[in-house]
Amino acid sequence: MKKGMFIVVDGIDGSGKSEIVKMLHNYLFSKHKKYRILTTREPTHGKYGSRIRTMLREEKAPESSSKKLLDLFIKDRQEHLKTAISPFLKNSGENEVNIVICDRYYYSTIAFQSAQGLNTKELISKNISLRKPDIAFILDLEPSAALERITHRKKEKFEQLEFMKKIRSNFLKLPGLLKDNIKIIDSNRSLNEVFESIKKEVDKILVD
Ligand code: TYD
């Protein structure tokens, strides 16, 4: 059995990510007493992440502040890895298996900041030396359906149909651009069906 595992769930806004993260957390937590789980997200609530959140709340045009945001997303990720993810994965006790579930990671930077107009290759090179997840799930869904799921709250900076179409197509290109273990998951289904697909993949890795 693997000693540690780093799982990422990513995708466009409204793809059902947060629900899937919760379901995965609950599933793994009850599956085995050996599992210690850190469920976390990016942007974080650290010093860089908080600045990002303020910018996303206050700005309206999806293309604006691309370079500034990129810089902050990378710094936030480095801090997240250094202070939370890596130490957690390292401290495996004799009979423990440490699992990190992260809601968004560098796949978001590549997909969102490319859609903002930055160069995809540069975005990849700025992230490629960072710790690779063992597996990454990209929840895929038509942006119009995703937008319907977020009608109950105020739309944020990136939540506009045309812009989301670009982001989606960037996410779909990732398996061809990166050597990471990426699974594109059809999320135009019930949450339970989506979760079943994810559970199967995670179980496969955990018994390796
Ligand atoms: P947040 O509200 O935390 O996203 P979610 O509600 O999906 O958890 O805000 C994060 C926003 O920032 C979201 O629209 C995705 C975007 N983002 C990037 O543009 N680049 C990145 O590297 C990350 C991590 C997020």
Side-chain angles (χ1 to χ4, degrees), residues 12-14 17-18 41-43 52-53 56 73 77 103-106 108-110 112-113 116 153 156 158-159:
I12 58 173
D13 296 317
K17 252 177 341 83
S18 325
R41 58 159 54 89
E42 291 186 5
I52 293 170
R53 287 176 192 281
L56 295 178
F73 278 122
R77 182 159 306 125
D103 183 334
R104 295 197 187 282
Y105 194 54
Y106 57 51
S108 274
T109 307
I110 301 168
F112 281 75
Q113 276 58 63
Q116 287 200 290
R153 60 166 170 81
E156 286 192 339
F158 298 132
E159 295 170 350

Short mmCIF file of all heavy atoms in Angstrom, two decimals, residues 12-14 17-18 41-43 52-53 56 73 77 103-106 108-110 112-113 116 153 156 158-159, ligand 1:
data_model
loop_
_atom_site.label_atom_id
_atom_site.label_comp_id
_atom_site.label_asym_id
_atom_site.label_seq_id
_atom_site.Cartn_x
_atom_site.Cartn_y
_atom_site.Cartn_z
N ILE A 12 -13.58 23.92 -14.13
CA ILE A 12 -14.17 25.26 -14.20
C ILE A 12 -15.06 25.51 -12.97
O ILE A 12 -15.48 24.55 -12.29
CB ILE A 12 -15.00 25.48 -15.50
CG1 ILE A 12 -16.12 24.45 -15.64
CG2 ILE A 12 -14.10 25.48 -16.73
CD1 ILE A 12 -17.06 24.73 -16.82
N ASP A 13 -15.36 26.77 -12.71
CA ASP A 13 -16.27 27.11 -11.62
C ASP A 13 -17.62 26.46 -11.91
O ASP A 13 -18.08 26.47 -13.04
CB ASP A 13 -16.45 28.64 -11.52
CG ASP A 13 -15.15 29.36 -11.15
OD1 ASP A 13 -14.43 28.87 -10.28
OD2 ASP A 13 -14.85 30.40 -11.77
N GLY A 14 -18.25 25.91 -10.88
CA GLY A 14 -19.57 25.30 -11.06
C GLY A 14 -19.51 23.86 -11.56
O GLY A 14 -20.53 23.27 -11.90
N LYS A 17 -16.76 20.65 -8.08
CA LYS A 17 -15.52 20.35 -7.38
C LYS A 17 -15.66 20.24 -5.86
O LYS A 17 -15.22 19.26 -5.27
CB LYS A 17 -14.53 21.50 -7.62
CG LYS A 17 -13.41 21.20 -8.51
CD LYS A 17 -12.53 22.42 -8.75
CE LYS A 17 -13.09 23.77 -8.48
NZ LYS A 17 -13.05 24.24 -7.11
N SER A 18 -16.24 21.27 -5.26
CA SER A 18 -16.29 21.27 -3.79
C SER A 18 -17.06 20.08 -3.24
O SER A 18 -16.67 19.49 -2.24
CB SER A 18 -16.93 22.55 -3.26
OG SER A 18 -16.59 23.62 -4.06
N ARG A 41 -7.25 23.80 -0.07
CA ARG A 41 -7.64 24.44 -1.33
C ARG A 41 -6.70 25.55 -1.74
O ARG A 41 -5.96 26.10 -0.93
CB ARG A 41 -9.05 24.99 -1.21
CG ARG A 41 -9.23 26.02 -0.08
CD ARG A 41 -10.45 26.89 -0.31
NE ARG A 41 -11.67 26.13 -0.53
CZ ARG A 41 -12.49 25.71 0.42
NH1 ARG A 41 -12.22 25.98 1.69
NH2 ARG A 41 -13.58 25.05 0.14
N GLU A 42 -6.74 25.86 -3.02
CA GLU A 42 -6.05 27.04 -3.55
C GLU A 42 -7.07 27.86 -4.34
O GLU A 42 -7.88 27.28 -5.05
CB GLU A 42 -4.90 26.62 -4.48
CG GLU A 42 -3.77 25.97 -3.71
CD GLU A 42 -2.54 25.67 -4.57
OE1 GLU A 42 -2.52 26.05 -5.76
OE2 GLU A 42 -1.61 25.06 -4.04
N PRO A 43 -7.03 29.21 -4.28
CA PRO A 43 -6.13 29.97 -3.43
C PRO A 43 -6.36 29.66 -1.94
O PRO A 43 -7.48 29.37 -1.53
CB PRO A 43 -6.47 31.43 -3.76
CG PRO A 43 -7.81 31.40 -4.43
CD PRO A 43 -7.92 30.07 -5.07
N ILE A 52 -5.29 37.56 -3.38
CA ILE A 52 -5.96 37.07 -4.60
C ILE A 52 -7.47 37.18 -4.44
O ILE A 52 -8.17 37.70 -5.31
CB ILE A 52 -5.59 35.58 -4.87
CG1 ILE A 52 -4.12 35.44 -5.22
CG2 ILE A 52 -6.48 34.99 -5.95
CD1 ILE A 52 -3.61 34.01 -5.28
N ARG A 53 -7.98 36.71 -3.32
CA ARG A 53 -9.43 36.72 -3.12
C ARG A 53 -10.01 38.13 -3.17
O ARG A 53 -11.08 38.35 -3.74
CB ARG A 53 -9.80 36.04 -1.80
CG ARG A 53 -9.62 34.54 -1.86
CD ARG A 53 -9.89 33.87 -0.53
NE ARG A 53 -9.44 32.48 -0.57
CZ ARG A 53 -10.12 31.50 -1.15
NH1 ARG A 53 -11.30 31.75 -1.68
NH2 ARG A 53 -9.63 30.27 -1.17
N LEU A 56 -10.12 39.14 -6.83
CA LEU A 56 -11.17 38.45 -7.58
C LEU A 56 -12.55 39.01 -7.25
O LEU A 56 -13.44 39.05 -8.10
CB LEU A 56 -11.15 36.95 -7.29
CG LEU A 56 -9.90 36.18 -7.75
CD1 LEU A 56 -9.99 34.71 -7.35
CD2 LEU A 56 -9.70 36.30 -9.25
N PHE A 73 -0.61 33.73 -7.51
CA PHE A 73 -1.00 32.31 -7.48
C PHE A 73 0.23 31.42 -7.27
O PHE A 73 0.17 30.42 -6.54
CB PHE A 73 -1.72 31.91 -8.78
CG PHE A 73 -3.18 32.27 -8.80
CD1 PHE A 73 -3.71 33.10 -9.80
CD2 PHE A 73 -4.07 31.78 -7.84
CE1 PHE A 73 -5.06 33.43 -9.83
CE2 PHE A 73 -5.42 32.10 -7.87
CZ PHE A 73 -5.92 32.93 -8.87
N ARG A 77 0.99 29.14 -4.03
CA ARG A 77 1.20 27.68 -4.17
C ARG A 77 2.50 27.25 -3.51
O ARG A 77 2.54 26.22 -2.84
CB ARG A 77 1.20 27.34 -5.68
CG ARG A 77 1.35 25.87 -5.99
CD ARG A 77 0.82 25.57 -7.38
NE ARG A 77 -0.53 26.05 -7.51
CZ ARG A 77 -0.94 26.91 -8.47
NH1 ARG A 77 -0.12 27.32 -9.40
NH2 ARG A 77 -2.19 27.33 -8.49
N ASP A 103 -8.21 21.10 -3.55
CA ASP A 103 -9.21 21.69 -4.44
C ASP A 103 -8.50 22.79 -5.25
O ASP A 103 -8.17 23.83 -4.69
CB ASP A 103 -10.32 22.27 -3.53
CG ASP A 103 -11.48 22.87 -4.29
OD1 ASP A 103 -11.30 23.31 -5.44
OD2 ASP A 103 -12.58 22.93 -3.71
N ARG A 104 -8.22 22.51 -6.50
CA ARG A 104 -7.44 23.35 -7.43
C ARG A 104 -5.94 23.27 -7.17
O ARG A 104 -5.51 23.17 -6.02
CB ARG A 104 -7.84 24.83 -7.39
CG ARG A 104 -9.24 25.11 -7.87
CD ARG A 104 -9.39 26.60 -8.20
NE ARG A 104 -10.77 26.93 -8.51
CZ ARG A 104 -11.35 26.66 -9.67
NH1 ARG A 104 -10.67 26.08 -10.63
NH2 ARG A 104 -12.61 26.98 -9.87
N TYR A 105 -5.18 23.38 -8.25
CA TYR A 105 -3.71 23.37 -8.16
C TYR A 105 -3.18 24.04 -9.42
O TYR A 105 -3.90 24.84 -10.04
CB TYR A 105 -3.24 21.90 -8.02
CG TYR A 105 -1.81 21.74 -7.59
CD1 TYR A 105 -1.32 22.36 -6.44
CD2 TYR A 105 -0.92 20.96 -8.34
CE1 TYR A 105 0.00 22.19 -6.05
CE2 TYR A 105 0.39 20.78 -7.95
CZ TYR A 105 0.85 21.41 -6.81
OH TYR A 105 2.16 21.25 -6.42
N TYR A 106 -1.97 23.69 -9.87
CA TYR A 106 -1.42 24.44 -11.00
C TYR A 106 -2.18 24.26 -12.32
O TYR A 106 -2.00 25.03 -13.24
CB TYR A 106 0.08 24.23 -11.18
CG TYR A 106 0.64 22.84 -11.37
CD1 TYR A 106 0.15 21.95 -12.32
CD2 TYR A 106 1.76 22.45 -10.62
CE1 TYR A 106 0.72 20.70 -12.51
CE2 TYR A 106 2.35 21.19 -10.80
CZ TYR A 106 1.82 20.32 -11.75
OH TYR A 106 2.40 19.09 -11.93
N SER A 108 -5.23 24.90 -12.64
CA SER A 108 -6.04 26.13 -12.71
C SER A 108 -5.21 27.29 -13.25
O SER A 108 -5.69 28.07 -14.06
CB SER A 108 -6.59 26.52 -11.34
OG SER A 108 -7.79 25.85 -11.07
N THR A 109 -3.97 27.40 -12.79
CA THR A 109 -3.13 28.50 -13.28
C THR A 109 -2.96 28.39 -14.79
O THR A 109 -3.08 29.38 -15.52
CB THR A 109 -1.73 28.47 -12.62
OG1 THR A 109 -1.92 28.43 -11.21
CG2 THR A 109 -0.92 29.70 -12.99
N ILE A 110 -2.68 27.18 -15.27
CA ILE A 110 -2.46 27.01 -16.70
C ILE A 110 -3.75 27.32 -17.47
O ILE A 110 -3.74 28.07 -18.45
CB ILE A 110 -1.91 25.60 -17.01
CG1 ILE A 110 -0.59 25.40 -16.26
CG2 ILE A 110 -1.71 25.41 -18.52
CD1 ILE A 110 -0.08 23.95 -16.24
N PHE A 112 -6.67 28.99 -16.43
CA PHE A 112 -7.26 30.33 -16.23
C PHE A 112 -6.35 31.43 -16.74
O PHE A 112 -6.79 32.36 -17.43
CB PHE A 112 -7.58 30.59 -14.75
CG PHE A 112 -8.84 29.94 -14.26
CD1 PHE A 112 -8.90 28.57 -14.02
CD2 PHE A 112 -9.98 30.70 -14.02
CE1 PHE A 112 -10.07 27.98 -13.55
CE2 PHE A 112 -11.16 30.11 -13.55
CZ PHE A 112 -11.19 28.76 -13.31
N GLN A 113 -5.07 31.36 -16.39
CA GLN A 113 -4.20 32.47 -16.80
C GLN A 113 -3.89 32.41 -18.31
O GLN A 113 -3.63 33.44 -18.92
CB GLN A 113 -2.96 32.53 -15.91
CG GLN A 113 -3.17 33.30 -14.57
CD GLN A 113 -4.27 32.75 -13.69
OE1 GLN A 113 -4.21 31.62 -13.22
NE2 GLN A 113 -5.33 33.54 -13.45
N GLN A 116 -6.62 34.22 -19.72
CA GLN A 116 -6.42 35.67 -19.53
C GLN A 116 -5.45 36.25 -20.56
O GLN A 116 -5.21 37.45 -20.57
CB GLN A 116 -5.86 35.94 -18.13
CG GLN A 116 -6.85 35.77 -16.99
CD GLN A 116 -6.38 36.51 -15.75
OE1 GLN A 116 -5.41 36.12 -15.11
NE2 GLN A 116 -7.04 37.62 -15.42
N ARG A 153 -25.50 32.69 -6.34
CA ARG A 153 -24.62 33.69 -5.71
C ARG A 153 -24.09 34.65 -6.77
O ARG A 153 -24.23 34.42 -7.97
CB ARG A 153 -23.47 33.00 -4.98
CG ARG A 153 -22.59 32.14 -5.88
CD ARG A 153 -21.31 31.78 -5.16
NE ARG A 153 -20.54 30.78 -5.85
CZ ARG A 153 -19.74 31.03 -6.88
NH1 ARG A 153 -19.62 32.25 -7.36
NH2 ARG A 153 -19.05 30.04 -7.44
N GLU A 156 -18.39 35.80 -9.99
CA GLU A 156 -17.06 36.35 -9.78
C GLU A 156 -16.40 36.69 -11.11
O GLU A 156 -16.91 36.37 -12.18
CB GLU A 156 -16.22 35.36 -8.98
CG GLU A 156 -16.64 35.32 -7.53
CD GLU A 156 -15.66 34.57 -6.65
OE1 GLU A 156 -14.88 33.76 -7.18
OE2 GLU A 156 -15.69 34.81 -5.43
N PHE A 158 -14.17 35.53 -13.14
CA PHE A 158 -13.98 34.63 -14.28
C PHE A 158 -15.26 33.93 -14.71
O PHE A 158 -15.23 33.09 -15.61
CB PHE A 158 -12.91 33.58 -13.93
CG PHE A 158 -11.55 34.17 -13.65
CD1 PHE A 158 -10.84 33.79 -12.52
CD2 PHE A 158 -10.98 35.09 -14.52
CE1 PHE A 158 -9.58 34.33 -12.25
CE2 PHE A 158 -9.73 35.64 -14.27
CZ PHE A 158 -9.03 35.26 -13.13
N GLU A 159 -16.38 34.23 -14.06
CA GLU A 159 -17.59 33.45 -14.31
C GLU A 159 -18.49 34.05 -15.39
O GLU A 159 -19.61 34.44 -15.14
CB GLU A 159 -18.34 33.24 -12.98
CG GLU A 159 -17.50 32.39 -12.02
CD GLU A 159 -18.00 32.29 -10.60
OE1 GLU A 159 -18.92 33.03 -10.23
OE2 GLU A 159 -17.45 31.48 -9.86
P1 TYD B 1 -12.50 30.45 -5.49
O1 TYD B 1 -13.77 31.19 -5.25
O2 TYD B 1 -11.70 30.00 -4.34
O3 TYD B 1 -12.75 29.20 -6.42
P2 TYD B 1 -13.73 28.04 -6.05
O4 TYD B 1 -14.99 28.72 -5.61
O5 TYD B 1 -13.87 27.26 -7.30
O6 TYD B 1 -13.01 27.29 -4.97
O7 TYD B 1 -11.68 31.42 -6.40
C1 TYD B 1 -10.69 30.98 -7.14
C2 TYD B 1 -10.82 31.58 -8.49
O8 TYD B 1 -9.50 31.78 -8.98
C3 TYD B 1 -11.51 30.64 -9.46
O9 TYD B 1 -12.30 31.38 -10.38
C4 TYD B 1 -10.34 30.02 -10.19
C5 TYD B 1 -9.27 31.06 -10.17
N1 TYD B 1 -7.87 30.55 -10.15
C6 TYD B 1 -6.99 31.00 -11.11
O10 TYD B 1 -7.35 31.81 -11.99
N2 TYD B 1 -5.69 30.54 -11.10
C7 TYD B 1 -5.24 29.66 -10.15
O11 TYD B 1 -4.05 29.28 -10.15
C8 TYD B 1 -6.17 29.21 -9.14
C9 TYD B 1 -5.72 28.27 -8.06
C10 TYD B 1 -7.49 29.69 -9.19
#
